[in-house]
Amino acid sequence: MPGQIHEVTNQVPELYGNNLFLDDTILQAGVKRLHGQWHAGQLARYGAELGSKETWQLAELANRHQPELNTFDRLGNRIDVVDFHPAWHALLGLLRREGLHALPWIKPQSGSHVARAAGYFLHAQVEAGSLCPTTMTFASIPVLQQEPALFAALQAKLLSCEHDSRDLPLDHKNSILIGMGMTEKQGGSDVRSNTTAATPLAGGSGRGAGYLLTGHKWFFSAPMCDAHMMLARTEMGLSCFFVPRWRPDGSKNPVQIQRLKNKLGNRSNSSSEVEFRNAFGIMVGDEGRGIPTIIEMANHTRLDCVIGAAGLMRQALVQALHHARHRSAFGRLLAEQPLMQNVLSDLALESEAATLLMLQLASAFEQADDPLQRAWRRIVTPAAKFWICKRALEFTGECMEVWGGNGYVEAAPMARFYREAPVNSIWEGSGNVMCLDVLRAIEREPAGFGLLLEQLAEVAHDHPGLRSMLDDLLKDLATPPEQREMLGRRFVQRLVLTVQGALMLQHAPAAIAEAFIASRSEAMGGRVYGTLAAVHLQQQILQRTWAQ
């Protein structure tokens, strides 16, 4: 062009056209090992679609054009409608088509939870906001199944693989999405302080009966979902309710959206503040047992927080590797420089351990009657949510640093990844809440925890490093009860690292597993990436991670 004063060189090309599943040997091996191989062909097809330029553009558009609240129509009628860019609905259409909202119930066979987790992990690498209503719909199914009459009316619409964006009564929808409304202004994670009141309608009370709800929710996730699961207070205490957007008579349920949250990240998805003005709801579960009823839903959402954070880490790593293999500084490629290799290798170990853990947890959700797998679900899931989501924050920041200033601008995906990372730590209970839940679960299920420790001891038997980590964990466990809460984070961190070390020993090459355990148990290593002592393994680690 006339007036051009320089040639553009040493800039990294956009990463399009790769297959997110076929490029990930660790994910592929885990899916096969944990009985999800029957879904591998579909995952490969979806991995290619997610890696396409077109899908990345959908993600960018959905986050640039954020949801908009329309409280009234032009005539002054109250409508409480949130409008989305078409890219948002296109992304939800992909998720729905892949069955990521309900795959274990659509295809109930061995490995179905693992297959679904792998698909969710892939989608999380491209766009995370659209996963929120998908997760809540997925998590609602085990709870709604406890109410046979209600579930019978909803089952076909819950399991449908079609996305129906229309704002209509349930009877007129081809498919539905379910959201959640848990926290109130005064309580946050302390849902026992909720004040929203539920009054029974004429004709009965208790589970399956209709109620009128009055109150508010401070975080009402995805307000355009067709119904929400939430807590409200009856005379017998907090109970769980299914609250649709439309009443059974076809009129709009008075769930009034006060405003949308202006969030740091997760911008494609809408979160809101709402008020209930005699809104209709159906009680799910026993009256006064709302928290135990909805905790089943929370356990599934916690798993998805782990999967989503691990997916975010994986894509941030891939983007960092891609950048380092194309960008030169001081006379050679970044990927050829020893200190950068150490950083990237350390990140690769972290990502692999996170991937192994999320797949193992997904597999545990399939084995409802196995006491050991119940311990994985009940004890390791909140521990993993605490640790993996925490690590994702540092991890995405480190990957952004690999990009330098180019990673700090919104034109590239790294800034979006970094803004996205905190939400999984905060959603459904932040770090302290998860650690306290781990301690409670151990106290309530000591036999299951004993089985978990036996499993870890068996793996650690011939490995001094892992055995030392397990010994330190047991010492923390022997802390007097009055001191245990204060040490909750220390204990949970050790638990997760011991579990990850065991998984690495079982499923990674021995030298790579050894490098992970040594670096995570070494006090001088701290939490800074790039402190690996096993420098001779860096090329092997990076080639295993992403051989592009």
Side-chain angles (χ1 to χ4, degrees):
M1 292 178 61
Q4 184 171 344
I5 62 171
H6 68 280
E7 180 183 358
V8 178
T9 62
N10 198 28
Q11 286 290 321
V12 178
E14 300 281 5
L15 179 55
Y16 295 137
N18 60 314
N19 188 310
L20 274 60
F21 181 68
L22 295 183
D23 287 350
D24 193 338
T25 57
I26 295 153
L27 180 65
Q28 290 181 73
V31 167
K32 182 177 182 179
R33 181 178 67 255
L34 297 170
H35 313 296
Q37 186 64 20
W38 54 269
H39 201 58
Q42 186 78 353
L43 290 169
R45 186 201 57 73
Y46 197 41
E49 186 173 10
L50 289 170
S52 70
K53 182 177 182 179
E54 292 75 16
T55 305
W56 277 101
Q57 287 176 335
L58 288 177
E60 195 275 330
L61 286 169
N63 282 273
R64 188 198 320 161
H65 301 283
Q66 297 178 38
E68 295 182 355
L69 172 61
N70 290 297
T71 310
F72 300 93
D73 67 13
R74 69 180 186 86
L75 301 177
N77 298 304
R78 183 104 196 192
I79 56 173
D80 294 290
V81 167
V82 182
D83 288 328
F84 294 85
H85 189 274
W88 165 261
H89 293 295
L91 290 164
L92 283 178
L94 294 179
L95 285 161
R96 200 87 193 200
R97 184 199 68 199
E98 296 301 310
L100 299 183
H101 64 295
L103 189 63
W105 297 281
I106 297 171
K107 297 180 178 180
Q109 57 187 291
S110 179
S112 60
H113 275 274
V114 172
R116 186 259 176 186
Y120 191 102
F121 176 84
L122 295 175
H123 191 99
Q125 297 180 43
V126 180
E127 209 292 306
S130 49
L131 291 172
C132 180
T134 305
T135 280
M136 294 184 294
T137 302
F138 173 73
S140 74
I141 293 174
V143 178
L144 291 170
Q145 284 178 327
Q146 299 173 27
E147 298 299 329
L150 178 59
F151 187 72
L154 301 175
Q155 182 175 3
K157 302 174 194 298
L158 283 169
L159 304 189
S160 170
C161 289
E162 173 190 351
H163 172 55
D164 187 345
S165 63
R166 298 174 300 166
D167 184 21
L168 295 172
L170 294 174
D171 289 345
H172 299 285
K173 296 291 296 283
N174 298 322
S175 67
I176 58 174
L177 290 169
I178 309 296
M180 289 179 74
M182 298 283 285
T183 61
E184 298 182 3
K185 294 183 181 73
Q186 71 282 355
S189 295
D190 182 12
V191 295
R192 287 177 175 82
S193 67
N194 283 8
T195 60
T196 295
T199 304
L201 292 167
S205 62
R207 63 188 310 164
Y211 283 73
L212 294 181
L213 282 63
T214 303
H216 81 281
K217 294 298 172 186
W218 187 233
F219 278 92
F220 197 68
S221 297
M224 286 306 292
C225 286
D226 299 284
H228 287 76
M229 303 295 290
M230 52 165 285
L231 295 173
R233 191 172 295 280
T234 68
E235 291 182 354
M236 294 181 64
L238 284 174
S239 301
C240 180
F241 292 89
F242 174 87
V243 182
R245 266 185 65 78
W246 297 79
R247 294 183 183 218
D249 64 5
S251 63
K252 200 63 164 290
N253 210 9
V255 179
Q256 296 187 350
I257 304 173
Q258 303 304 302
R259 61 175 174 174
L260 300 185
K261 297 289 191 181
N262 185 12
K263 298 177 291 182
L264 167 70
N266 205 248
R267 292 180 177 175
S268 66
N269 176 48
S270 61
S271 300
S272 62
E273 300 168 22
V274 300
E275 290 184 354
F276 309 103
R277 301 178 180 272
N278 282 333
F280 172 78
I282 298 172
M283 185 179 288
V284 175
D286 293 330
E287 186 173 0
R289 298 283 295 167
I291 294 177
T293 299
I294 213 165
I295 201 68
E296 177 71 20
M297 190 172 179
N299 283 336
H300 283 86
T301 63
R302 289 174 180 179
L303 172 63
D304 277 5
C305 286
V306 176
I307 302 169
L312 196 61
M313 292 164 69
R314 167 66 186 180
Q315 185 57 217
L317 172 62
V318 167
Q319 293 285 343
L321 287 167
H322 176 71
H323 184 90
R325 290 169 180 173
H326 289 82
R327 178 81 166 178
S328 295
F330 309 112
R332 55 180 167 172
L333 290 171
L334 292 175
E336 296 173 348
Q337 301 189 22
L339 187 53
M340 180 61 78
Q341 288 179 351
N342 199 321
V343 171
L344 293 172
S345 300
D346 208 354
L347 291 166
L349 291 178
E350 191 77 23
S351 177
E352 177 166 358
T355 301
L356 293 176
L357 180 52
M358 73 90 179
L359 287 171
Q360 194 66 41
L361 287 173
S363 179
F365 273 73
E366 295 185 6
Q367 304 173 58
D369 299 325
D370 186 309
L372 173 60
Q373 298 309 315
R374 175 175 169 80
W376 275 86
R377 292 194 307 274
R378 188 63 193 90
I379 298 169
V380 183
T381 298
K385 181 184 180 298
F386 165 74
W387 183 248
I388 302 301
C389 297
K390 278 263 185 287
R391 294 299 272 169
L393 281 161
E394 299 172 57
F395 193 102
T396 51
E398 193 71 64
C399 291
M400 179 187 288
E401 193 171 324
V402 173
W403 276 51
N406 287 333
Y408 198 66
V409 296
E410 293 287 351
M414 297 303 291
R416 176 160 59 87
F417 295 163
Y418 186 68
R419 285 188 287 100
E420 196 68 47
V423 70
N424 287 309
S425 272
I426 296 170
W427 167 260
E428 204 286 297
S430 54
N432 284 357
V433 174
M434 291 300 103
C435 292
L436 293 173
D437 193 51
V438 171
L439 296 177
R440 278 194 300 268
I442 290 172
E443 290 176 0
R444 292 173 180 174
E445 304 193 19
F449 186 57
L451 292 172
L452 179 62
L453 291 176
E454 288 177 14
Q455 184 183 43
L456 293 173
E458 184 177 343
V459 178
H461 183 266
D462 295 320
H463 191 278
L466 187 62
R467 199 163 60 241
S468 176
M469 293 174 72
L470 183 57
D471 289 343
D472 288 339
L473 179 67
L474 294 174
K475 289 177 185 175
D476 280 352
L477 190 63
T479 303
E482 62 272 14
Q483 299 177 18
R484 202 168 295 159
E485 179 177 325
M486 181 184 68
L487 299 177
R489 287 188 173 216
R490 172 190 172 102
F491 173 77
V492 171
Q493 175 178 311
R494 278 186 164 157
L495 173 62
V496 177
L497 288 174
T498 305
V499 167
Q500 286 184 314
L503 291 172
M504 291 289 281
L505 276 177
Q506 290 172 297
H507 307 303
I512 290 177
E514 180 67 44
F516 176 85
I517 293 169
S519 60
R520 272 56 183 176
S521 60
E522 182 184 72
M524 291 301 293
R527 292 176 62 181
V528 178
Y529 291 107
T531 60
L532 294 179
V535 294
H536 62 287
L537 289 173
Q538 291 172 2
Q539 289 300 327
Q540 181 183 350
I541 293 170
L542 294 175
Q543 189 69 16
R544 172 177 168 79
T545 298
W546 193 51
Q548 289 288 322

